[in-house]
Structures are given as C-alpha cells and as structure tokens.
Amino acid sequence: GPGRAGAGQERRDALREELLLSPLPTGDVAATFQFRTRWDADLQRGAVSHYRLFPKALGRLVAALGVRELHLALTQGFWRTRYWGQAPLQAPAGAELWVWFQPTVTDVDKAWKELSNILSGIFCASLNFIDSTNTVIPTASFKPLGLANGTDHHLLRYAVLPREVVCTENLTPWKKLLPCGSKAGLAVLLKAERLFHSSYHSQAVHIRPVCRDASCLAVSWELRQTLTVVFDFFSSGQGKKDWSLFKMFSRTLTDICPLASQSKVYVDISPKNKEKELLEVSPTPTSVHEAIVQGDKKTYAVYDLLSPSLFNTSRSLNVQLKWKRPQDSSEMPIPTLHAQRYVGGYGLQTGEICTLIYNTHPYRAFPVILLETVPWYLRLYVHTLTIITKGKENKPSYIHYQPAQDRRRPHLLEMLIQLPANSVTKITIQFERALLKWTEYPPDPNHGFYVGSSVLSALVPSVTAMKDMDVEQSPLFTSLFPSSDGSSYFVRLYTEPLLVNLPTPDFSMPYNVICLTCTVVAVCYGSFYNLLTRTFHVEEPSRGGLAKRLANVIRKFRGVPPL
Amino acid sequence: VCTSRFWFNYRHVANTLSVYRSVKRLGIPDSHIVLMLADDMACNPRNPKPATVFSHKNMELNVYGDDVEVDYRSYEVTVENFLRVLTGRIPPSTPRSKRLLSDDRSNILIYMTGHGGNGFLKFQDSEEITNVELADAFEQMWQKRRYNELLFIIDTCQGASMYERFYSPNIMALASSQVGEDSLSHQPDLAIGVHLMDRYTFYVLEFLEEIHPASQTNMNDLFQVCPKSLCVSTPGHRTDLFRRDPQKVLITDFFGSVRKVEITTETLSLDRGVAAFESK
C-alpha cells in the first residue's frame, strides 16, 4: 500500500500525484498531471459521513445518484496524433461526459439529467445543455474501466458538447477538488495564464471503483484528476527548444503536499531509433525507471519529491530539458493508428462526412470500433455509407445504427472495421442539411454548427510484450486503461470536430417585411380610399365678423357691392 | 450581467468582471454572486493574452483573475434565464450556484451592461428585455419578499430609460446616460485591438478601488462619480422609490458584505445533549 501510512489503520484514503513531461517529435512538450485519490470506503451503501481527501461534492454525487463510473473531460484544442504520437489519455474538443450507472437505478435518463445539471454547477460549464438531442447509448465503444459486474449497455450514457469553451472558471473548481488545492505539491504549477497559452489543454475527472487489493474481495473508489497541456512555443516560433519547468509554468516546485503519499515527476528520456539518448535533464534525477508504455519500451528520469535528497542543494526544483544535438526533422515516428475527418461537398443542401483511418503497422492487422454521433439536423443517408480499403470494399463485421428523430435524438453509428496492415481506410457517408425553425437558431448562427468528434477504440498490437504489473507500484500513467494481455494495448482516439454551415435565414426579414408591407398598404390603399370616398363641394366664403357686417350694411346703403 | 456576444464587445465583459472583482474584494463570496457572461473573451482565440481580461491599456489589472466563477455563460444568458433567476421560478434541477437565494432581508445589487436603446436592453443580438418587463420582475420580487433593498446599475446607451418604469418600493437606480445620449467607451488598446472598457464603469471602478470594508462612503458620492466632462454622457439616478435617505446609505450595504460582530464576555453553557454528542 502507500508508503507513508505506517501510522494509519485510520487513514483509509491516499493521494498520489505525478507529473509526466514528454517531449513531442515536433519539438513541443506535453505535460500530463495526474492526481489519484483512492478511498477504501463503500460509497454506495451511504455509510460515509466524514470526507477527508476525497472531495465531498463528488462523493455525494456517487452515493445519491447511483453512479458506477464517471468520466468528464473539458478540452480546448485538438491532439494531433499524427505529429505528436499517441496521447496517454485523449479527449475530444469541448466537453465530454460518459457515465455508467448502477443496475439499481430505475430511471437512468432522469439520473443522467440531474447529474449533468449538478456537474454544470460544480464545474461552471454549460453541461445543462446535455439532453436527449445530444445523448447516445453506445453499445460497444465505452466499456467500463473499473470493476463491473455486468455490462448492460442501457446503463451507459455518452454525450459530447463540442461548442463548450474551457477557461479559468473551469480550472478553478477543478483545482479546488484537489486535497492540497493549488497551494502545495505539483498543483502549484497550475496557473491559468500559462496553461491556456497552449495549443492543447485538457482537464478531466475520472471516478471508478477498483479492487482494494489483489484478492479483490472489497471495493475502493478511485478519483483521478488529469490535466494534459501541450506547450507549443518552439513550433510556433516563439522560443528555443530548451524547456524547463519555469519556462513552461513560470513557477518551480518548492513545497510538497503533506497529504500526498507519493509525489513524482517523470521525464521521458527514451532514445529514438535505438540511439544513445539525446536528451539531457538537470538536476540529476533520483532514479531512472523503465517501463513498457503503449507497447514500446520507454525510459523515464524520475524525481521523487518526497525523497529528502532532492531539496538538499536548492529549495526549489526546476527540471530542465536540453537537447544534446539538433533533432533531425525527417525521422519523426508515425503512430500505428491515427485518423482524420473532414466534411466534403459544396453548397448548403448536401454534404459528405469522410473519415480516413491509417494503420501504419508493417504486418499486423487489427480491428477498430468507430463511433459517430451526428446531430439530427444533418440527415445521414446510411445507404450511401461506403468503406474502402486499398481500393476494395471493406465490410464491417458489426454495425449498430440508430437513426435520428427530429428534435429528439441524434444519429448513432457504431462499426467494427478490420484494418489491414499498412493501409488507409476511407469511410464516407452523405448527409442533407435541414432547415431549422427560426427560434431554434443560436444567437450566432453564421458561425456554424458543430459535429462532435468520432471515437476510435482499438487494441493496437504492441512492439514489445508487456508484463503484468502491480497497479500500486507502477506510475499512474501506465495504469489508466486495464490491460488484458501483454500483446496489445488499448487506445482511444478522437478525430477532429466538424463545423458545418446550415442554411440560415436572414433574421432581419420580419422587420423588413412589416415596414415594406405597411408602407405599400399606406400608399396604395390609402390613395385609393381617398380617391373613392372623398367628395368635393364648394364652400361658401364665410360671412365675416361683426365689423365686416357693419361695413356691408353701410355699403348696401351706398349702393356698392358687398365685401 | 453582460449581455453582449462577439469579440468587439470585449468592453462589456471587462465592465462586468470589474464590478464582480470589486464586489468579491469587499467580501461577498461566490455563493452570493450570480455572474452571467454572454461570451468568453479570456480564452477567445482572438485574445493575444489568453486567460486575461484587462480594464486599462497599461495591462496592470487583470480583472478576470485566477478565482472566477461564471454561473451562466455563453448561450445560457437569455432574457428567460435572467428573469427566472430574479423571480426564482427555476427548474428544480438547477444547482445552487445558479440560483438567487435571497429573502426579505437581503440587499441586492444588479449590474447590467451591453447594448441598449430607449426602453430596452439587447441580449446577445437576438432578443431584448424592455423596461416594463424589468419593472414587473422587480414587482414580483417585492411581492414575494425577495429583497429588502435593491440597487440597479446599468451601463448602456440611453440607460436612464430602463429605470423610468420602476414602481416597487426600495429600489435605487443608476444609469450611465440619459435618454437620447449614448454611453461611450473609454480607450482602445492597440495590442488587443478593441476598446477595453466603458467610461462610466471605468470611473466607477476607480471609485470602488478606494472603498474598503470599513469605509463610510455613501451613495451620494457614487452619484457624483462620472461628471459630464469625463463621461461625455450625463449619468442619472433615481431615488424616489427608496425609503432611506441616500446620504445615509453606505456603499458597503450593496457592494460589500460587512457583518456586524458583537463581542461578549459572558460564558455560555452548552446543553447536555450537545456535550454528549461531542464526546463520541
């Protein structure tokens, strides 16, 4: 179990925190924070009254709404798998929420609606916009990542909001859920001004039940908070290729979180192409760890913040990465599985969604599950679905298609496609754009409408066989996805979100029409009415006042015509 | 409440965030503030300095800060949601942070900014709220005893028209310009490329920066804040519905949360039941 719990039968929850710095092939750096709180208590039975490290807001959510697993991710930007390699944990642009409920929950839709409202209050995100028009029930793509008794997929709900913006107001409550807040430990590096000045920022919360120990007789609850950020100062031309914690976060590590039982910084120093290491780290790491991550052997320099020797020389830890010689840009490794998606066609009536999936493994073929969720106003025509690999048609071995109902539910398309070795698979499907009612348009309709990312889940064959490892001893970034056997590893990829223009009316037309019609009516009808109903008659001049009459009387006497 | 969308309305978000910041600084916690921002400026792709919103072009004050809680953002800022928050008629699943949980002893400050006209305020380019609707909403609040005293500040063009129709007691209103006048913006910043703040709110912010929780400044000082020489428009105010004399109303009654603390030297004995619970 956790190392410092010598004093504690009482201490049943433990915090491990970890930061992984991985240099990317393009010269940028990805930093992944993981904070894992594990609590040996049974939240389901509601026998909990005292929350220590596990945040009360989330604990009560699990107990009250019967949640078995919860995964919420808020992302800004897009992870470029082709250039950056596989992400340890990827998320689609916007907000993504998928939840497995307990079998005891009778009305899953009602619990889902309440859950999204409560989470929108906790994380200051518009998750209350999740309703039946963007929720789907996947059948094969999202299997539980924690302990599961049965997998009735009617207990699963998945929704994605691609338009959701992520900013400091989402980061602040996320930081407040950490036991040490942002005051000590690795979380002091999380400053909004640096984190959002990046090309990819993703923060996530994962709650799942895990085995308490190897015998798996009791259940513990695990909360993982992950934050991945990619700093692109080098590739956007703003800086040199030397990285350090201070340069990335404008802060260094000074204090350790006293509540953490483990606090480590890992730096990926794996040699590329079996050469000697060309990456140098300073100060000297406390140890070097080798692991097989994502099917490949990788070497990490480890800084254990809890070891007393680390802060001996200086009070702050500023990890610096230097390249020994300039990296040859032609030797960028290509990941085994990557994908791309775009909209084809022209005009505002029809279009086509094309997805390209690349399998770059030289000799192994493997299957991939593709999940597409398309909003109802892009009417998909499934008879136009074509899947072509190497010039020939590729029939999927499993298709689950649920057509959309206008204003009630979106399209859901799930397919299991076999990807031959070293191939590109092109999947196209045509759609027609619908005309919405004029009150259904958002305030900025000319921006376009988003289609959420598609999800690709696959078991990719690994280069080196992985051995079984103890979850407690291995780094956190290796134990997120359960691995069934050592010959392949699980990968979940997301494609780009699409931005599609719908035919948009001119919203000033009602005003224009009213003005024009009223003017025409006033001019034409009014003139006719006057012409037809006005009669002209001669008017006698008036007899005048008293003075005039007197003058007329005098003139009558004189014999002169009257005035 | 900021009701404007799109990047060139940066100044409205900066206005709202400045008032939010002052109010938090003077002691009101996030649980007592409902902040509505119709668009995201800080993490907008056009913002050259992400996660920041500045009020002045020398960039010294980041009004967005590090600890901000936006309750209604983006498409959620609609006339319907605004009126529902005021009158309390919200769906049962709304979280607490999105509700106005006030009772008959609460003082409420409402600050609205955006684009407006004679008798209306535009929400997000697609709908408006009229002064009659607003007055009726306040009357509903009064009848349900949802406020003790209410201060309404509006910074839009022709803002004074919005408070002409109020008829409920205990309301004081301030506006940045009279009917027929436009409220103008303060200064543009060449790096960000838009105007950073409106004049009236800029001088109100300067005034509020000098208030601390123990200050005794009263409402009459707030009425003098932006004379015509600085603001170009004539700010107006309305106090006829307010029962107390504005001279005696402290700024911190609305903008801050000052609690009265009484120190007692007597000893209190706890009940036996409480003592038994504590010993468990």
Side-chain angles (χ1 to χ4, degrees):
Chain A
R4 279 172 68 190
Q9 292 308 317
E10 295 301 319
R11 219 180 291 171
R12 289 156 72 208
D13 48 11
L15 169 70
R16 281 173 64 184
E17 46 178 40
E18 168 188 293
L19 165 61
L20 168 66
L21 296 170
S22 7
L24 300 172
T26 50
D28 303 321
V29 166
T32 308
F33 290 83
Q34 272 206 47
F35 300 90
R36 177 185 178 246
T37 306
R38 205 188 92 152
W39 197 17
D40 299 333
D42 198 353
L43 277 175
Q44 287 304 124
R45 305 256 180 80
V48 175
S49 56
H50 180 62
Y51 289 85
R52 194 175 147 258
L53 295 181
F54 202 93
K56 184 173 175 183
L58 297 179
R60 286 184 51 174
L61 206 65
V62 170
L65 289 175
V67 165
R68 191 170 73 196
E69 251 186 65
L70 185 143
H71 301 267
L72 168 67
L74 293 165
T75 312
Q76 175 202 59
F78 178 68
W79 181 274
R80 289 167 216 188
T81 315
R82 167 74 178 82
Y83 300 103
W84 293 346
Q86 300 285 6
L89 179 67
Q90 202 185 344
E96 185 204 34
L97 176 65
W98 59 280
V99 175
W100 276 94
F101 286 94
Q102 297 281 352
T104 51
V105 174
T106 42
D107 192 347
V108 181
D109 289 315
K110 185 158 161 280
W112 171 248
K113 187 88 186 118
E114 268 191 55
L115 178 66
S116 39
N117 274 312
I118 295 176
L119 288 174
S120 89
I122 298 178
F123 290 102
C124 291
S126 312
L127 299 174
N128 47 324
F129 283 143
I130 292 179
D131 57 9
S132 65
T133 58
N134 45 30
T135 308
V136 289
I137 306 178
T139 52
S141 296
F142 286 94
K143 293 289 178 217
L145 292 179
L147 292 181
N149 254 342
T151 51
D152 177 12
H153 65 264
H154 291 290
L155 297 169
L156 168 66
R157 293 288 185 274
Y158 174 79
V160 69
L161 295 172
R163 186 78 166 103
E164 197 60 26
V165 172
V166 182
C167 208
T168 314
E169 67 247 24
N170 307 112
L171 182 66
T172 309
W174 188 93
K175 283 197 288 191
K176 285 186 183 161
L177 293 174
L178 297 171
C180 275
S182 54
K183 297 184 178 59
L186 293 174
V188 293
L189 297 176
L190 299 173
K191 287 297 163 199
E193 282 169 15
R194 307 301 290 165
L195 288 179
F196 289 103
H197 202 41
S198 57
S199 57
Y200 177 79
H201 169 100
S202 172
Q203 61 194 56
V205 169
H206 305 273
I207 303 177
R208 60 181 179 175
V210 292
C211 287
R212 201 171 289 192
D213 46 29
S215 58
C216 216
L217 293 166
V219 164
S220 296
W221 285 87
E222 180 193 77
L223 164 70
R224 277 187 199 232
Q225 287 179 254
T226 63
L227 192 143
T228 309
V229 59
V230 173
F231 292 103
D232 59 350
F233 301 135
F234 174 70
S235 59
S236 60
Q238 285 168 24
K240 292 204 294 248
K241 213 166 142 186
D242 294 326
W243 294 100
S244 69
L245 282 185
F246 188 76
K247 193 170 168 204
M248 292 192 276
F249 301 104
S250 69
R251 251 155 207 88
T252 55
L253 292 166
T254 46
D255 287 313
I256 47 170
C257 176
L259 300 169
S261 59
Q262 203 184 83
S263 188
K264 289 189 178 166
V265 177
Y266 290 85
V267 183
D268 186 353
I269 52 173
S270 318
K272 307 267 183 300
N273 297 337
K274 315 258 185 305
E275 286 166 10
K276 280 207 308 280
E277 297 159 10
L278 38 82
L279 183 64
E280 195 178 69
V281 286
S282 66
T284 335
T286 47
S287 61
V288 172
H289 180 86
E290 283 191 1
I292 301 184
V293 171
Q294 291 180 343
D296 210 355
K297 188 147 170 283
K298 295 220 166 120
T299 319
Y300 297 94
V302 182
Y303 293 87
D304 189 348
L305 295 176
L306 296 176
S307 84
S309 60
L310 194 67
F311 287 110
N312 267 348
T313 42
S314 70
R315 283 216 50 216
S316 73
L317 172 64
N318 182 18
V319 177
Q320 288 172 331
L321 292 84
K322 280 198 200 28
W323 269 255
K324 282 190 199 148
R325 60 177 162 89
Q327 201 178 14
D328 199 357
S329 60
S330 64
E331 43 176 77
M332 272 205 291
I334 303 184
T336 317
L337 174 68
H338 63 278
Q340 200 187 353
R341 189 172 73 151
Y342 54 90
V343 175
Y346 58 89
L348 286 176
Q349 192 184 2
T350 53
E352 187 178 69
I353 299 181
C354 306
T355 312
L356 293 170
I357 310 181
Y358 298 82
N359 174 4
T360 57
H361 202 283
Y363 52 86
R364 290 282 298 271
F366 53 88
V368 69
I369 301 180
L370 173 67
L371 170 75
E372 287 229 25
T373 312
V374 177
W376 64 267
Y377 39 82
L378 299 179
R379 304 207 164 104
L380 293 182
Y381 289 104
V382 178
H383 73 278
T384 59
L385 174 67
T386 56
I387 309 176
I388 298 185
T389 312
K390 287 183 178 168
K392 288 188 302 205
E393 207 197 310
N394 183 353
K395 245 179 110 126
S397 39
Y398 169 76
I399 297 190
H400 172 71
Y401 175 65
Q402 195 178 52
Q405 279 180 350
D406 271 10
R407 297 175 183 88
R408 259 193 260 157
R409 94 178 166 212
H411 296 278
L412 170 66
L413 181 60
E414 244 183 312
M415 299 188 283
L416 178 65
I417 306 169
Q418 187 76 10
L419 301 177
N422 210 3
S423 66
V424 178
T425 306
K426 184 167 178 188
I427 303 158
T428 55
I429 185 166
Q430 288 180 1
F431 63 86
E432 193 182 66
R433 301 170 211 231
L435 187 66
L436 300 176
K437 296 184 184 163
W438 81 298
T439 47
E440 289 173 346
Y441 286 97
D444 53 349
N446 291 303
H447 178 87
F449 290 77
Y450 282 92
V451 179
S453 311
S454 2
V455 188
L456 290 149
S457 322
L459 279 172
V460 178
S462 30
V463 172
T464 326
M466 298 187 291
K467 354 180 234 298
D468 241 348
M469 51 204 169
D470 182 15
V471 172
E472 293 301 325
Q473 302 302 326
S474 49
L476 289 173
F477 57 86
T478 54
S479 58
L480 192 55
F481 293 113
S483 53
S484 46
D485 62 283
S487 64
S488 53
Y489 60 96
F490 180 75
V491 142
R492 184 171 284 142
L493 272 196
Y494 294 89
T495 59
E496 295 92 332
L498 302 173
L499 186 57
V500 170
N501 264 322
L502 286 185
T504 309
D506 183 356
F507 293 100
S508 61
M509 276 317 282
Y511 170 74
N512 294 343
V513 165
I514 292 172
C515 278
L516 194 64
T517 318
C518 291
T519 311
V520 166
V521 165
V523 168
C524 295
Y525 176 71
S527 319
F528 263 121
Y529 179 80
N530 280 339
L531 219 55
L532 293 174
T533 56
R534 224 185 253 172
T535 55
F536 294 95
H537 58 269
V538 182
E539 191 180 84
E540 296 287 323
S542 58
R543 298 245 70 198
L546 188 60
K548 205 161 166 202
R549 263 191 273 177
L550 216 53
N552 278 338
V553 164
I554 297 172
R555 286 186 104 155
K556 203 155 109 179
F557 278 130
R558 280 171 59 194
V560 173
L563 290 167
Chain B
V1 178
C2 161
T3 58
S4 307
R5 179 167 271 277
F6 305 123
W7 173 246
F8 49 82
N9 291 319
Y10 183 102
R11 58 189 189 277
H12 296 142
V13 172
N15 291 348
T16 318
L17 285 172
S18 325
V19 176
Y20 171 77
R21 196 184 155 279
S22 312
V23 150
K24 267 183 89 159
R25 193 177 53 84
L26 291 172
I28 301 190
D30 268 318
S31 54
H32 289 246
I33 306 178
V34 175
L35 176 63
M36 300 174 130
L37 295 180
D39 201 357
D40 168 55
M41 298 302 167
C43 291
N44 197 311
R46 283 174 157 148
N47 193 349
K49 295 183 173 38
T52 60
V53 172
F54 290 108
S55 62
H56 192 274
K57 67 177 177 205
N58 56 14
M59 311 278 188
E60 57 189 24
L61 186 58
N62 174 14
V63 290
Y64 194 58
D66 221 5
D67 183 11
V68 60
E69 184 186 289
V70 181
D71 302 301
Y72 288 84
R73 57 198 307 225
S74 193
Y75 297 124
E76 290 174 290
V77 179
T78 57
V79 174
E80 185 189 335
N81 280 349
F82 176 62
L83 292 177
R84 280 185 188 275
V85 164
L86 284 184
T87 53
R89 297 169 195 257
I90 21 187
S93 50
T94 319
R96 277 183 75 96
S97 58
K98 289 182 163 175
R99 293 179 190 232
L100 180 66
L101 301 159
S102 59
D103 57 13
D104 62 326
R105 287 200 310 269
S106 323
N107 288 351
I108 302 185
L109 163 70
I110 299 181
Y111 174 83
M112 301 183 75
T113 181
H115 288 289
N118 191 354
F120 67 91
L121 170 62
K122 184 172 77 154
F123 265 69
Q124 289 211 51
D125 234 12
S126 61
E127 46 183 5
E128 327 54 59
I129 186 171
T130 55
N131 46 7
V132 176
E133 281 175 5
L134 199 57
D136 287 340
F138 288 162
E139 176 64 15
Q140 282 190 49
M141 287 172 80
W142 173 253
Q143 291 189 1
K144 292 278 168 61
R145 297 287 177 264
R146 280 171 70 81
Y147 70 89
N148 174 31
E149 288 172 344
L150 197 144
L151 175 63
F152 176 75
I153 307 181
I154 185 159
D155 187 352
T156 62
C157 305
Q158 309 193 45
S161 60
M162 290 304 283
Y163 60 64
E164 276 171 1
R165 299 293 192 111
F166 291 166
Y167 55 92
S168 320
N170 275 352
I171 300 185
M172 187 164 10
L174 276 116
S176 59
S177 56
Q178 300 294 332
V179 176
E181 284 180 352
D182 289 336
S183 290
L184 301 176
S185 53
H186 189 58
Q187 0 138 292
D189 174 77
L190 295 175
I192 296 183
V194 286
H195 287 263
L196 291 182
M197 220 161 149
D198 278 332
R199 281 175 192 251
Y200 182 69
T201 311
F202 183 79
Y203 291 108
V204 167
L205 176 65
E206 249 183 26
F207 173 78
L208 288 174
E209 286 285 308
E210 268 142 51
I211 310 276
H212 54 89
S215 77
Q216 298 292 312
T217 349
N218 55 36
M219 279 296 162
N220 272 346
D221 303 324
L222 188 57
F223 295 156
Q224 319 297 338
V225 152
C226 200
K228 197 167 162 105
S229 55
L230 288 173
C231 255
V232 186
S233 57
T234 322
H237 53 91
R238 179 179 175 177
T239 51
D240 56 320
L241 295 166
F242 205 73
R243 283 191 195 147
R244 293 195 284 155
D245 179 17
Q247 183 89 22
K248 299 203 183 60
V249 178
L250 297 176
I251 298 277
T252 49
D253 275 355
F254 289 103
F255 284 88
S257 166
V258 179
R259 286 164 202 274
K260 292 193 172 32
V261 176
E262 282 180 25
I263 301 177
T264 174
T265 49
E266 307 167 1
T267 37
L268 295 164
S269 60
L270 295 172
D271 196 31
R272 267 191 68 202
V274 177
F277 179 79
E278 288 209 335
S279 67
K280 263 204 200 140

